[in-house]
């Protein structure tokens, strides 16, 4: 029997779903897994399981609203469903969820839709996005189960469409691989290291982080180092130009992409994510697993991971002044205080381990496969 996973790109599959894929292959040995997402190089990491996993290059662009391109995406999904006739479909992120729910009017299969965050369609509330999100919340009723990563997203969707409230299942995040993100004590250094890891988009609060870092370096020269690791979207030229301009006048080190994320987290004193909203932040749970205190915003998907002043600091979103104030507080911590914060993060991270999260997923999948 066939299981299809739809997602935007194989980067997401490789980084967030890899261990779940292994669990599915082990738990359901009679199933064949088809993974459909945009080829981006990361599909090569999964290709070694080709005897039981079929990879499809899905024609999809997650941030493109062009009608023709989106029709092509829908046709690409329909074609995949026609060829493989799955018993179960698992979809991730807004666009795959949207289109797969549409196809439920044409095909009969079980559907688990995953809400990995409500996204910029929800955050940027212009007229077009309001229409799209309203239609999206209506289409979700075609799902058999809707997995949300935080209670706020679950409540938001339930208010928009009370018919789906009984279908919502809460699973906090995609899990942390504690072998890849092992606990390591914070090293005693003369300078503090503050690191941002995430996509280079407005909704991650990246510009606020840069402004705060520039101000900090002006007021406290040589007190801290700042690092940004993240990929830009090619079609986001105006924002990328602004980002490049600010980076060029700062002392911030920027790395476009890295397969050594755990090393950079280990070398940091604080991980900073001033995001506007998340499903449940993967990079923060990974940082906690290594034992690093975090600075993040008091928003869904982030605030669940921080006990203020215990394992990090909570700040208001969209405020470089808030970040600057917390950076000042952070460098005043003595080394034992910093270690205690890191230890608290580590112990809090255990509830987000891949073992716990993927067990919940496989039990859920088993309802539709067995």
């Amino acid at each position: 029997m066939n299981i299809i996973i739809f997602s935007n790109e194989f980067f997401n599959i490789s980084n967030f779903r890899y261990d779940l894929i292994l669990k599915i292959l082990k738990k359901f040995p009679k199933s064949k897994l088809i993974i459909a997402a945009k080829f981006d190089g990361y599909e090569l990491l999964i290709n070694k399981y080709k005897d039981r996993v079929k990879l499809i290059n899905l024609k999809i662009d997650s941030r493109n609203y062009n009608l023709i391109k989106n029709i092509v995406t829908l046709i690409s999904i329909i074609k995949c469903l026609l060829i493989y006739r799955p018993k179960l479909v698992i979809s991730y992120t807004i666009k795959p969820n949207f289109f797969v729910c549409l196809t439920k009017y044409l095909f009969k299969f079980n559907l688990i839709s995953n809400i990995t965050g409500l996204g910029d369609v929800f955050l940027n509330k212009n007229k077009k996005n309001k229409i799209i999100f309203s239609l999206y919340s209506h289409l979700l009723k075609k799902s058999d189960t809707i997995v949300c990563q935080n209670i706020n997203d679950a409540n938001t969707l339930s208010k928009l469409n009370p018919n789906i409230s009984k279908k919502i299942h809460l699973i906090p995040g995609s899990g942390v691989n504690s072998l890849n993100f092992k606990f390591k004590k914070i090293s005693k250094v003369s300078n503090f290291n503050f690191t941002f890891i995430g996509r280079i988009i407005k909704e991650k609060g990246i510009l606020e982080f840069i402004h705060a870092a520039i101000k900090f370096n002006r007021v406290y020269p040589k007190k801290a180092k700042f690092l940004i690791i993240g990929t830009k979207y090619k079609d986001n030229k105006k924002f990328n130009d602004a980002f490049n301009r600010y980076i060029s006048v700062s002392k911030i080190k920027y790395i476009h992409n890295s397969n050594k994320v755990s090393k950079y987290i280990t070398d940091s004193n604080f991980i900073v994510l001033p995001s506007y909203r998340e499903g449940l932040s993967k990079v923060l749970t990974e940082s906690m697993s290594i034992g690093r205190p975090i600075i993040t915003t008091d928003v869904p998907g982030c605030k669940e991971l921080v006990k203020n002043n215990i394992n990090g600091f909570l700040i208001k979103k969209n405020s470089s002044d808030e970040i600057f104030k917390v950076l000042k507080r952070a460098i005043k911590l003595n080394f034992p205080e910093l270690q205690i914060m890191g230890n608290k993060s580590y112990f809090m991270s255990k509830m987000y381990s891949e073992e716990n999260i993927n067990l919940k997923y496989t039990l859920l999948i088993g309802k539709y496969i067995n």
Side-chain angles (χ1 to χ4, degrees):
M1 90 191 50
N2 291 337
I3 302 172
I4 300 183
I5 295 178
F6 286 107
S7 187
N8 283 328
E9 51 196 24
F10 273 92
F11 171 83
N12 291 332
I13 296 292
S14 174
N15 282 276
F16 303 147
R17 325 287 168 214
Y18 186 82
D19 285 275
L20 177 60
I21 288 167
L22 298 183
K23 290 286 191 301
I24 292 172
L25 294 176
K26 184 177 180 180
K27 184 82 173 177
F28 309 104
K30 294 182 180 179
S31 296
K32 183 176 177 68
L33 192 58
I34 297 96
I35 305 174
K38 184 179 180 180
F39 279 12
D40 53 8
Y42 285 89
E43 70 278 0
L44 300 174
L45 299 175
I46 302 168
N47 203 33
K48 57 186 174 182
Y49 300 102
K50 60 180 72 175
D51 57 324
R52 287 191 57 204
V53 179
K54 173 70 176 176
L55 306 184
I56 305 293
N57 187 10
L58 191 65
K59 299 182 186 304
I60 186 169
D61 189 337
S62 61
R63 298 173 70 85
N64 196 308
Y65 290 102
N66 180 278
L67 179 61
I68 301 300
K69 287 189 175 182
N70 283 307
I71 290 173
V72 169
T73 298
L74 179 58
I75 292 170
S76 183
I77 289 171
I78 289 172
K79 184 179 177 182
C80 194
L81 293 169
L82 277 169
I83 293 170
Y84 295 103
R85 297 289 178 175
K87 181 168 186 180
L88 173 66
V89 171
I90 306 169
S91 67
Y92 291 94
T93 68
I94 287 180
K95 190 171 280 192
N97 289 348
F98 188 98
F99 287 133
V100 174
C101 283
L102 266 179
T103 65
K104 282 274 279 184
Y105 288 99
L106 303 173
F107 298 94
K108 187 176 181 181
F109 54 83
N110 297 306
L111 173 59
I112 300 174
S113 297
N114 288 272
I115 312 298
T116 56
L118 297 184
D120 59 345
V121 173
F122 176 77
L123 289 169
N124 302 321
K125 295 182 179 178
N126 56 45
K127 188 175 181 180
K128 178 178 70 176
N129 282 351
K130 284 181 178 178
I131 293 170
I132 292 171
F133 199 81
S134 176
L135 181 57
Y136 176 55
S137 61
H138 175 75
L139 280 173
L140 280 171
K141 71 179 183 182
K142 301 300 288 183
S143 306
D144 295 284
T145 296
I146 302 162
V147 175
C148 289
Q149 296 189 351
N150 67 69
I151 192 65
N152 294 79
D153 287 358
N155 290 339
T156 298
L157 291 171
S158 294
K159 286 177 184 176
L160 286 168
N161 186 357
N163 294 326
I164 66 175
S165 58
K166 291 182 179 179
K167 296 183 176 185
I168 291 176
H169 194 90
L170 196 63
I171 298 179
S174 54
V176 182
N177 186 320
S178 56
L179 295 177
N180 293 338
F181 295 89
K182 286 183 181 178
F183 174 79
K184 291 182 182 176
K185 288 185 178 179
I186 298 172
S187 300
K188 194 169 185 178
V189 292
S190 55
N191 285 350
F192 264 68
N193 294 316
F194 295 101
T195 301
F196 170 100
I197 304 170
R199 290 173 294 155
I200 307 304
I201 55 174
K202 176 185 175 183
E203 292 78 16
K204 295 292 183 182
I206 183 66
L207 294 185
E208 292 90 325
F209 177 68
I210 294 172
H211 293 322
I214 291 172
K215 183 177 179 180
F216 184 93
N217 282 331
R218 190 168 61 242
V219 178
Y220 301 100
K222 299 182 180 179
K223 279 280 187 181
K225 295 178 182 178
F226 294 87
L227 171 65
I228 291 173
I229 304 171
T231 305
K232 302 172 191 171
Y233 283 108
K234 291 179 181 177
D235 61 351
N236 206 8
K237 187 177 184 305
K238 186 176 179 181
F239 184 83
N240 290 343
D241 289 344
F243 172 80
N244 293 336
R245 189 165 60 250
Y246 289 126
I247 285 291
S248 68
V249 298
S250 73
K251 296 178 181 178
I252 301 170
K253 182 179 180 181
Y254 170 57
I255 299 172
H256 174 260
N257 203 354
S258 175
N259 58 1
K260 299 179 181 178
V261 169
S262 62
K263 179 187 181 301
Y264 287 113
I265 294 172
T266 300
D267 292 342
S268 302
N269 300 109
F270 275 89
I271 302 300
V272 186
L273 183 68
S275 179
Y276 296 178
R277 194 178 182 110
E278 297 283 326
L280 194 84
S281 170
K282 180 82 165 180
V283 72
L284 291 185
T285 53
E286 290 171 344
S287 302
M288 291 164 66
S289 181
I290 289 176
R292 294 301 172 266
I294 53 183
I295 297 170
T296 193
T297 35
D298 188 12
V299 300
C302 295
K303 65 182 180 180
E304 294 86 350
L305 301 172
V306 177
K307 290 185 178 178
N308 201 25
N309 301 312
I310 302 298
N311 74 309
F313 300 110
L314 282 173
I315 56 176
K316 294 177 183 176
K317 76 171 184 178
N318 201 17
S319 173
S320 59
D321 288 339
E322 282 268 316
I323 300 171
F324 175 71
K325 288 175 186 176
V326 167
L327 295 177
K328 286 197 302 180
R329 287 181 64 188
I331 63 166
K332 291 177 182 177
L333 293 171
N334 60 42
F335 189 61
E337 289 173 325
L338 189 63
Q339 283 188 314
I340 289 169
M341 271 193 164
N343 291 342
K344 294 288 186 183
S345 269
Y346 170 67
F347 287 116
M348 288 173 63
S349 74
K350 290 185 177 296
M351 68 181 292
Y352 304 107
S353 70
E354 278 186 341
E355 291 80 5
N356 289 336
I357 300 302
N358 288 335
L359 175 61
K360 293 178 180 179
Y361 264 109
T362 51
L363 288 173
L364 184 58
I365 291 167
K367 281 173 48 181
Y368 299 108
I369 292 298
N370 295 328

